[in-house]
Each structure stands twice: as structure tokens, then as C-alpha cells.
Amino acid sequence: MAFAAPPAAASTASGNARYTTYPLALGVLTTIFFMWGFLTCLNDILVPHLKSTFQLNYTKAALIQFTFFGTYFLMGLPAGWLVARAGYKKGIVTGLAIAGVGALGFWPAAALHLYPAFLGALFVLAAGITVLQVAANPYVALLGPEATSSSRLTLAQALNSAGTTLAPYFGSVVILANAVKSPTELAALAPADQLAYQAQQAQSVQYPYIGLAVALFLLAVFVWAFRMPALAESTDKGDHARHGFAEVLRQRHVLFGVIGIFCYVGAEVSLGTYMVNYLSMPEIGRLSEATAAKYVSWYWGGAMLGRFAGSAIMAWFPPRKLLALFAAINAVLVATTMASTGSVAMYSVIAVGLFNSIMFPTIFALGIERLGPMTSKASSLLIMAIVGGALVPLLQGMLADRFGLQHAFLLPLLCYAYIVFYGLSGSKVRSAA
């Protein structure tokens, strides 16, 4: 028997004032947001772990985020095609199942001790999360009145941030608990000890991801059994005029929104990716990697608190103005960490997480505003823009190798400057020229 998600007591006169017309469906979706947040942020722990294990420089270590977020660009349109034809619910179930297969791939990757195998497993995992993003983000925005779509999506993203908050602490305890030996130290070990060491390093990654795979498969079964509204009128099934992607991009707020998502995700992921290494620097925090990873939880925890607060604030404060204000504050905080050392540099970069909070859900909700049957296509384009999480950290890694990690934070600073523009002007809905 399927679990039912009842519609709102009615699309009565007061129905339009409701926060959501499907509260149970919204509750189920928040669980999914938590899971993909946890999986995404665990990459911030994989980067320093695999960097040390395989003795990588910053550029090569950034291939972890490049592979993961590059998948959004490659799979964004196929994911949109899938969701348009299968519907939001089946799209979500499929995404969970694909992500589960990707998580299982960490077992052979760790056993073989091959860096490319880890990247392959990450690609499959990210493909599943791409489908989830394409389906779940617009679905949450559509589960109620348009006036509260930004607030509703921010609330769901708060649960996503709960996952990103717990992941670094989890990773610091399970994955980074054992110190990684240098090539010289490893060469000094007897062959039997070397095998035992490699087995230990493999298991520190294998068991956590097997557990996550099981959780993803169970969640897929639960969603399949849950009766959720179809909302087919906001997918290609309701697009009788068959609008093309080029026509969707001619909507000014969509085009600028795509760039906004690229910049935001790029800045957020870059900061999270390099924060462990940054806080470990002698002139910044002088912390061990395991201790620095716990501070990364503060960064993501700030985003969680900000999203819970932002969800309430946006019920009465204009989302566009709040977005511009938070982006301006972050630009100041990044400039501060670049120009300082010690605790000032350390806590200013951690504080960025608090003001990151509302950015993704707000940019996304503004980017699909008033699109009707073009919503699913716009969603695909916006999710493809998450490729910023692949390119910006890679570029920052290159800058860090050349000029130093602290100076490389100029790139996120420029990203936040663009988001100020989007909030003030670029997000306004206007007719295509």
C-alpha cells in the first residue's frame, strides 16, 4: 500500500495563503535534500585524504570536485529529459538508485588503490545527484504558492545544509582519523606492513560509502511507496508549444540565473574544498587536518542556520534584496581573509557559510519564476550551471599552485560580486528582447 501525501485541504479561498499545499511531500523531499548534501560535502574530506594518500598537488586533488560537479554539466540535459518524461517522483527514485550504485563503486576503487577509479565512482554518484537536483529543486518550489517558493526551497536547502554540516565531522572521525604516511615513510615499511597500511586506508573509505549506498537504496524504496502529486503541467508534458532551450535562455532572468548558480556553487565549493588545507597553514590556523575538518562543519553549519532563519525572513523580506545583501557581506569576508592572518583570517572565511545560506535556493527560485511549462527546461539549465563547482575549484587550485592558496581566494570574491548584481538587477523578470 502506498503512503499518501494529501493535497491541501483545499484549494479554497484561503488556499493561496498556505505555505505549501502538500506538507507531507515537502517533508519527504527534505530527507532527500539532507542525503545529497551529506554526500556532496563528504568530497571536502575526500580531497585532503586522497591528496595525501596519492601525494597529489592542489590541481590534481581538485579533479575530485571537477569530476563530481562536471557531471552536472554533462548529465544536466539527460537528467532533464528523464524527469520530463518520467515525472518528478520517478526521476527522484531513479536518481537515488544511480547515486547508490556510485557509492558502491568506492569499495573496488579503494581496494584497487587507484585514483582514477575513485573519480569514476564519483562520476556515477554525481550523475544520480544530478537527476535528484533536476527533479527535487523545482518540485519543492512548485509545492505551494509562487510567493513563498523561495522560502520553501530555502527551508528544504536548510536540511541539505544539515547534511553538509554533519559530513565533515563524520569524515574527520572515520576517514581522516588515521594519519597518512609520506612516500618516504611508506618505503621504510616492510612489505607486509605496507599491505596492512593500504588495507587500513581503503577500509576508511569503503565502509562509510557502503553504508551510504544502503541508505540511498532504502530511501529510493520509501519514495517509490509514497504517493506524491505529479505536477505534470510544469514539465514537458504540459509544454504543448514545445519551447526550446534557446527560447528559455532568452528569458533574461534565466540566463543571468544560470551564471549566478555557476558563480555561487563555484565559490561555495572552492571555499569548502580548500578550507582544510587553508586552516592547516601555519600563518592561518596551524591545525591538523582532522581538527581543521571539524571547523569545516562550522562553515556548513552556518549555512544551515542561515537557511532556517532565511526561510522565515523571506516570508516578509524581498528575496532579491536579501540575496544582494548576503553576497555583499561575503565579498567583504573573503577580502578580509585574504588581507589578514591568524584567527581573523580563520574565522572570517568560516563565517562565509552563514551568508551562503540563502543563495542557491533564492537564485534557483528566481531563475524559474513565472515560466510555467518551461520550468523543467529552466531547471535543467540551472542544474547544469552547478558545473561551477568543477571549474572554479580547479582554477583556484591552479592559482594556489602558482601564487599561494590565500591569494587564490580572489576567484570566490569575484563570484560573490556577480551575485550582488544578480540580486539587484539580473533577477528581475522582463520580456525577452
Side-chain angles (χ1 to χ4, degrees):
M1 180 181 293
F3 299 98
S11 299
T12 59
S14 62
N16 288 335
R18 295 193 61 159
Y19 185 73
T20 174
T21 46
Y22 297 94
L24 289 180
L26 181 61
V28 172
L29 265 293
T30 57
T31 305
I32 295 166
F33 275 71
F34 173 89
M35 275 303 298
W36 92 51
F38 190 97
L39 289 162
T40 301
C41 193
L42 208 53
N43 290 346
D44 293 346
I45 304 304
L46 276 179
V47 169
H49 176 74
L50 297 182
K51 182 178 184 295
S52 298
T53 300
F54 292 101
Q55 300 298 306
L56 307 171
N57 61 21
Y58 284 116
T59 303
K60 290 180 180 178
L63 289 176
I64 294 170
Q65 301 289 31
F66 182 83
T67 299
F68 190 88
F69 289 97
T71 305
Y72 283 90
F73 183 78
L74 294 176
M75 301 303 296
L77 292 182
W81 179 88
L82 172 66
V83 172
R85 282 151 183 77
Y88 290 115
K89 176 181 173 178
K90 290 181 180 178
I92 290 168
V93 171
T94 302
L96 288 168
I98 295 172
V101 172
L104 286 177
F106 277 77
W107 184 278
L112 294 170
H113 198 68
L114 291 174
Y115 186 50
F118 277 105
L119 298 180
L122 274 171
F123 178 86
V124 178
L125 178 63
I129 295 179
T130 302
V131 177
L132 288 177
Q133 291 262 26
V134 170
N137 280 297
Y139 193 62
V140 168
L142 294 166
L143 286 174
E146 187 177 86
T148 55
S149 61
S150 291
S151 176
R152 198 163 44 251
L153 190 51
T154 299
L155 178 62
Q157 287 283 345
L159 271 295
N160 178 274
S161 292
T164 62
T165 301
L166 293 176
Y169 183 82
F170 173 83
S172 70
V173 173
V174 178
I175 296 175
L176 294 180
N178 300 310
V180 177
K181 297 184 183 297
S182 67
T184 303
E185 292 172 326
L186 190 58
L189 295 177
D193 292 334
Q194 288 184 14
L195 290 174
Y197 169 77
Q198 290 179 352
Q200 181 188 54
Q201 291 299 312
Q203 288 173 1
S204 70
V205 175
Q206 286 173 325
Y207 292 128
Y209 277 90
I210 288 297
L212 290 169
V214 171
L216 287 164
F217 290 135
L218 290 176
L219 191 54
V221 172
F222 176 76
V223 173
W224 180 263
F226 198 91
R227 189 176 301 130
M228 301 168 74
L231 302 179
E233 66 278 4
S234 294
T235 68
D236 278 9
K237 291 180 180 179
D239 187 9
H240 303 297
R242 296 300 175 204
H243 298 89
F245 284 100
E247 186 174 355
V248 175
L249 277 176
R250 281 199 292 271
Q251 306 296 318
R252 179 178 181 272
H253 66 293
V254 178
L255 175 61
F256 287 143
V258 168
I259 301 171
I261 292 289
F262 179 96
C263 289
Y264 165 69
V265 176
E268 178 192 51
V269 173
S270 277
L271 291 169
T273 297
Y274 297 113
M275 193 167 292
V276 170
N277 294 112
Y278 185 62
L279 299 183
S280 301
M281 291 168 59
E283 64 272 27
I284 305 299
R286 199 183 293 271
L287 305 174
S288 68
E289 287 189 346
T291 302
K294 293 175 182 176
Y295 278 89
V296 178
S297 289
W298 292 21
Y299 171 74
W300 294 108
M304 178 184 67
L305 294 175
R307 281 172 175 168
F308 279 119
S311 177
I313 293 171
M314 279 191 290
W316 55 270
F317 195 88
R320 288 177 172 84
K321 292 182 179 179
L322 195 64
L323 176 65
L325 174 62
F326 277 27
I329 292 172
N330 270 356
V332 172
L333 287 171
V334 175
T336 300
T337 199
M338 291 178 65
S340 58
T341 58
S343 59
V344 174
M346 179 174 166
Y347 289 109
S348 57
V349 74
I350 292 171
V352 170
L354 177 64
F355 300 97
N356 272 343
S357 54
I358 66 151
M359 290 188 190
F360 183 91
T362 304
I363 296 170
F364 192 95
L366 294 175
I368 62 171
E369 192 174 8
R370 303 183 201 173
L371 291 178
M374 292 190 289
T375 299
S376 64
K377 280 192 171 70
S379 175
S380 292
L381 293 169
L382 289 164
I383 295 305
M384 286 177 69
I386 292 177
V387 72
L391 297 178
V392 176
L394 183 64
L395 292 172
Q396 186 169 345
M398 293 176 179
L399 290 174
D401 287 331
R402 187 175 180 87
F403 302 109
L405 184 55
Q406 190 170 24
H407 293 98
F409 282 120
L410 174 64
L411 212 51
L413 174 60
L414 296 175
C415 290
Y416 288 122
Y418 175 84
I419 297 170
V420 173
F421 156 76
Y422 184 71
L424 294 177
S425 176
S427 61
K428 294 179 180 177
V429 181
R430 299 173 187 171
S431 299

